[in-house]
């Protein structure tokens, strides 16, 4: 079924049918309802291209991934975020344009997407401190929304973020309440804004408990299983080894657990572990009973919410740029317990 055939069935012009399906106000409510009912009956779906021509929009949202970050493509966190965003796009008749580009070409690609009108907006992933993409996109006038925030950027922009500082301060406080005093941090790359905020929250808790920040039990790197394993193995070999580990990723936490068990220790008894959990579809933190005590916030829901926010700003360019700060839940699992007694 195409537009011409549907128009013939209804006895209306193609222009009227198109305007009725696209919500133009000059089409009467009765005619619009009649056209929509016929479209459902005959399984007619307007093509994105045709709808775009009618509305003057591309009906597409861009996601630009630099080559240096292409590992994100196979990261389950990225996959769940895209799945959530995709649900919001599909509901509004939008498509997704995914581009992997050389780092040096990233700004040029954004400029090309804007000049060709290939997308109506873009999602910015993995913001760094003082991220240069934010002022650039602001200058070229391409609508965007950021998954996270960029400390130091004073321009207004749409963003959705987890309260990373508060969640890691709270998690560290929880370990102090269990009697731990040697608490290690295994963080993400700390030029990334989220990791910087998590370190600040951890440090704030140490200071409030009058414990000096000790770089010897702090690690920062790509949040992989092997990074968590090697970091924990090194720290457990120290004379004054940590009795608890705060970890930025469930993936890294699996490596932390491996290092603990390899040393003949019991997680939750000899060494406690708290991690951040993005509630991933294919890497879950146990079943009904969580394995790891975790600060939990769904990245899939974040993708859905941020996509909705961006689509809203595209639909109404005059609306105030939305910001949303999500609070992570602290979920108790079997990976934490009282600090072991010293003989």
């Amino acid at each position: 079924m195409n537009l011409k055939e549907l128009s013939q069935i209804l006895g209306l012009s193609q222009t009227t049918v198109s305007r009725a399906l696209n919500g133009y106000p000059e089409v009467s409510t009765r005619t619009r309802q009649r056209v929509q009912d016929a479209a459902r009956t005959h399984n007619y779906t307007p093509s994105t291209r045709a709808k775009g021509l009618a509305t003057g929009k591309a009906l597409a949202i861009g996601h630009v991934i630099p080559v240096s970050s292409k590992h994100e493509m196979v990261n389950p966190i990225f996959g769940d975020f895209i799945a959530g965003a995709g649900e919001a796009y599909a509901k509004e008749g939008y498509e997704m344009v995914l581009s992997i580009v050389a780092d040096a070409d990233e700004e040029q690609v954004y400029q090309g997407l804007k000049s060709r009108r290939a997308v109506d907006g873009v999602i910015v992933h993995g913001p760094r401190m003082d991220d240069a993409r934010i002022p650039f996109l602001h200058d070229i006038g391409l609508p965007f929304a950021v998954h996270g925030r960029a400390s130091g950027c004073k321009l207004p922009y749409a963003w959705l973020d987890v309260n990373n500082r508060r969640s890691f301060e709270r998690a560290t406080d929880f370990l102090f309440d269990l009697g731990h005093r040697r608490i290690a941090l295994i963080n993400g790359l700390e030029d990334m804004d989220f990791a910087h905020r998590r370190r600040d929250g951890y440090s704030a808790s140490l200071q409030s408990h009058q414990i000096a920040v000790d770089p010897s039990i702090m690690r920062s790197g790509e949040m992989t299983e092997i990074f968590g394993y090697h970091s924990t193995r090194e720290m457990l070999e120290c004379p004054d080894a940590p009795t608890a580990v705060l970890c930025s990723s469930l993936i890294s936490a699996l490596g932390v657990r491996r290092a603990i068990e390899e040393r003949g220790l019991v997680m939750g008894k000899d060494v406690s572990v708290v991690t951040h959990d993005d509630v991933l579809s294919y890497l879950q933190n146990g079943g009904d009973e969580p394995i790891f005590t975790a600060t939990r916030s769904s990245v899939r829901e974040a993708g859905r919410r941020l996509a909705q926010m961006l689509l809203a700003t595209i639909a109404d360019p005059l609306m105030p740029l939305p910001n949303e700060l999500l609070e992570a839940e602290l979920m108790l699992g079997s990976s934490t317990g009282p600090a072991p007694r010293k003989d």
Side-chain angles (χ1 to χ4, degrees):
M1 174 68 66
N2 57 37
L3 181 63
K4 182 178 179 180
E5 291 167 338
L6 183 63
S7 302
Q8 290 173 343
I9 289 170
L10 288 162
L12 299 170
S13 70
Q14 292 183 48
T15 300
T16 299
V17 172
S18 176
R19 287 177 177 272
L21 291 171
N22 286 296
Y24 280 76
E26 60 266 31
V27 179
S28 70
T29 302
R30 181 178 179 182
T31 299
R32 184 181 300 112
Q33 189 62 54
R34 181 181 164 220
V35 170
Q36 290 173 348
D37 290 344
R40 282 193 293 271
T41 299
H42 297 285
N43 295 317
Y44 171 76
T45 303
S47 72
T48 301
R49 179 180 174 83
K51 190 174 180 182
L53 290 171
T55 60
K57 292 180 178 175
L59 296 178
I61 300 297
H63 294 256
V64 178
I65 310 299
V67 170
S68 65
S69 301
K70 66 182 178 182
H71 61 277
E72 292 290 343
M73 298 293 292
V74 295
N75 188 324
I77 296 171
F78 179 81
D80 265 37
F81 180 90
I82 287 293
E87 291 172 13
Y89 299 153
K91 187 175 181 180
E92 299 299 325
Y94 273 72
E95 296 180 347
M96 187 186 307
V97 176
L98 195 57
S99 304
I100 302 178
V101 304
D103 291 49
D105 297 337
E106 190 172 2
E107 288 190 357
Q108 183 179 344
V109 170
Y110 282 128
Q111 185 70 68
L113 292 172
K114 166 69 175 177
S115 61
R116 297 195 316 273
R117 297 182 181 179
V119 298
D120 297 313
V122 293
I123 295 286
V124 175
H125 295 271
R128 300 177 183 272
M129 310 287 290
D130 269 332
D131 199 301
R133 292 172 295 180
I134 292 173
F136 178 78
L137 291 168
H138 187 274
D139 288 345
I140 67 174
L142 181 60
F144 68 96
V146 182
H147 183 206
R149 286 175 285 174
S151 299
C153 184
K154 303 302 182 186
L155 291 168
Y157 59 94
W159 56 262
L160 177 142
D161 198 10
V162 174
N163 193 342
N164 288 293
R165 188 185 192 281
R166 176 61 191 137
S167 67
F168 268 47
E169 182 177 12
R170 183 183 179 195
T172 311
D173 287 346
F174 171 73
L175 290 168
F176 275 115
D177 289 343
L178 290 173
H180 296 278
R181 291 297 177 267
R182 289 288 285 171
I183 302 171
L185 173 66
I186 297 179
N187 204 3
L189 293 165
E190 289 180 352
D191 61 340
M192 306 297 288
D193 192 84
F194 79 90
H196 176 80
R197 292 178 188 272
R198 289 178 183 178
R199 185 191 66 193
D200 281 354
Y202 162 83
S203 299
S205 177
L206 292 181
Q207 290 164 10
S208 71
H209 288 87
Q210 299 180 333
I211 301 292
V213 173
D214 184 355
S216 73
I217 55 171
M218 298 171 68
R219 298 290 187 277
S220 169
E222 293 282 1
M223 297 184 295
T224 61
E225 192 274 349
I226 197 69
F227 171 64
Y229 168 75
H230 283 306
S231 297
T232 306
R233 184 175 176 178
E234 288 172 3
M235 291 187 288
L236 290 178
E237 289 173 353
C238 295
D240 191 10
T243 63
V245 179
L246 179 56
C247 192
S248 261
S249 165
L250 184 61
I251 299 169
S252 300
L254 296 174
V256 173
R257 180 175 67 175
R258 179 159 69 101
I260 291 169
E261 293 175 348
E262 186 181 86
R263 199 170 175 84
L265 302 173
V266 177
M267 184 175 72
K269 179 181 177 183
D270 300 306
V271 182
S272 288
V273 180
V274 178
T275 187
H276 183 71
D277 177 15
D278 289 290
V279 197
L280 304 177
S281 301
Y282 298 102
L283 184 60
Q284 296 185 7
N285 182 13
D288 295 335
E289 181 74 22
I291 297 169
F292 293 96
T293 295
T295 57
R296 176 179 285 184
S297 181
S298 169
V299 73
R300 189 183 188 108
E301 180 60 23
R304 184 183 299 110
R305 288 289 305 121
L306 189 60
Q308 291 169 345
M309 289 164 63
L310 178 56
L311 294 175
T313 64
I314 291 168
D316 182 5
L318 298 179
M319 71 178 285
L321 292 171
N323 302 145
E324 186 168 348
L325 187 62
L326 306 175
E327 295 294 339
E329 297 178 88
L330 183 62
M331 308 294 293
L332 299 186
S334 59
S335 67
T336 50
R341 288 185 177 183
K342 291 185 178 181
D343 295 330

